Amino acid sequence: MVNKDKVIQVIGSISDVIIENSERLNDLDRAIGDADHGINMKRGFEKVKVTLDSTDFTDITHAFKTVGMTLLTTVGGASGPLYATAFLKFADQCKDVSEIDAQVYENMLGAAIEGIKKRGKSDAGCKTMLDVWIPYYDTLKKEQEGGADLNDALATSLQAAKEGFEYSKTIIATKGRASYLGERSLGHGDPGAASTVLILQSFTDMLQEG
């Protein structure tokens, strides 16, 4: 079980890891985009950190909603609205929830994925962040339905997410700026998929520790 204080802590951890990896994210985006994914994400999560320090959150939903709205207004490019959508969907699934358990977490992921699909008009196999979100979620659901221990299920899911990023190197982009490159996008990992791995790593740690 993960309470509000732990959620706020993991949001801080996500912010730190995104900021620390901003140059790597820029490098990935340099190959197939505008070389600004790291800059945009860093700006957004620096603002999230400021907000964490200045806000007295009433519950988990308030925390996730605040993150979502902060990212929406500070992260440029396509990633801002997509990540904002994910956190706002998290907030929706945590209404009247004082703690996040395995089922709530699964619901959060499913809602986020549907929101990202709709907002980005995309799906798995398009060389986007969904190539990480979807295998992580599908694996977690399958593992839990099979009776796996939660910690083991989360570890297996995170591995699937990392494999999803590697998979993004092997396919041609069909969405976003990278789609203009056609076959030249092959061999390069999607920067949004990379930042998603970082975020899901933090959430995985949260649930395993919780």
Side-chain angles (χ1 to χ4, degrees):
M1 294 284 203
V2 176
N3 62 19
K4 179 190 69 174
D5 291 341
K6 185 66 177 178
V7 168
I8 294 169
Q9 181 182 333
V10 78
I11 292 170
S13 296
I14 289 170
S15 301
D16 288 338
V17 76
I18 290 294
I19 292 167
E20 290 167 7
N21 284 273
S22 60
E23 283 305 315
R24 172 179 170 250
L25 297 176
N26 281 339
D27 289 342
L28 288 169
D29 199 30
R30 186 169 290 112
I32 59 174
D34 294 327
D36 62 356
H37 183 62
I39 294 170
N40 288 333
M41 293 291 284
K42 180 181 179 181
R43 180 172 60 246
F45 279 99
E46 283 178 338
K47 182 63 174 178
V48 166
K49 288 192 71 172
V50 171
T51 303
L52 289 181
D53 291 337
S54 61
T55 305
D56 184 14
F57 297 104
T58 56
D59 53 28
I60 294 173
T61 289
H62 184 200
F64 282 142
K65 185 175 182 180
T66 300
V67 174
M69 294 307 297
T70 301
L71 296 178
L72 184 63
T73 57
T74 57
V75 178
S79 297
L82 295 176
Y83 277 122
T85 295
F87 279 93
L88 291 173
K89 292 297 183 181
F90 289 169
D92 288 343
Q93 295 300 313
C94 290
K95 288 178 180 177
D96 303 319
V97 170
S98 60
E99 294 181 319
I100 297 173
D101 61 14
Q103 187 58 59
V104 172
Y105 185 55
E106 187 178 303
N107 294 344
M108 287 165 53
L109 293 169
I113 288 168
E114 290 307 310
I116 293 169
K117 283 182 178 181
K118 184 176 180 180
R119 187 69 183 254
K121 297 179 174 60
S122 186
D123 209 330
C126 295
K127 202 182 185 86
T128 72
M129 63 176 65
L130 287 170
D131 292 311
V132 167
W133 282 104
I134 291 173
Y136 179 89
Y137 168 72
D138 286 348
T139 302
L140 182 62
K141 188 173 183 178
K142 180 180 178 181
E143 290 291 307
Q144 291 197 111
E145 288 174 349
D149 173 79
L150 179 58
N151 284 351
D152 291 340
L154 288 164
T156 303
S157 299
L158 185 61
Q159 182 58 37
K162 293 176 179 178
E163 291 171 0
F165 169 70
E166 294 301 319
Y167 168 70
S168 76
K169 298 178 181 180
T170 71
I171 55 178
I172 296 173
T174 60
K175 295 290 180 180
R177 185 175 178 81
S179 65
Y180 301 141
L181 298 177
E183 291 188 0
R184 287 180 293 161
S185 66
L186 286 170
H188 302 287
D190 179 69
S195 56
T196 298
V197 171
L198 296 174
I199 290 171
L200 292 178
Q201 173 78 68
S202 294
F203 276 119
T204 298
D205 292 344
M206 174 189 77
L207 266 294
Q208 288 179 326
E209 292 169 4

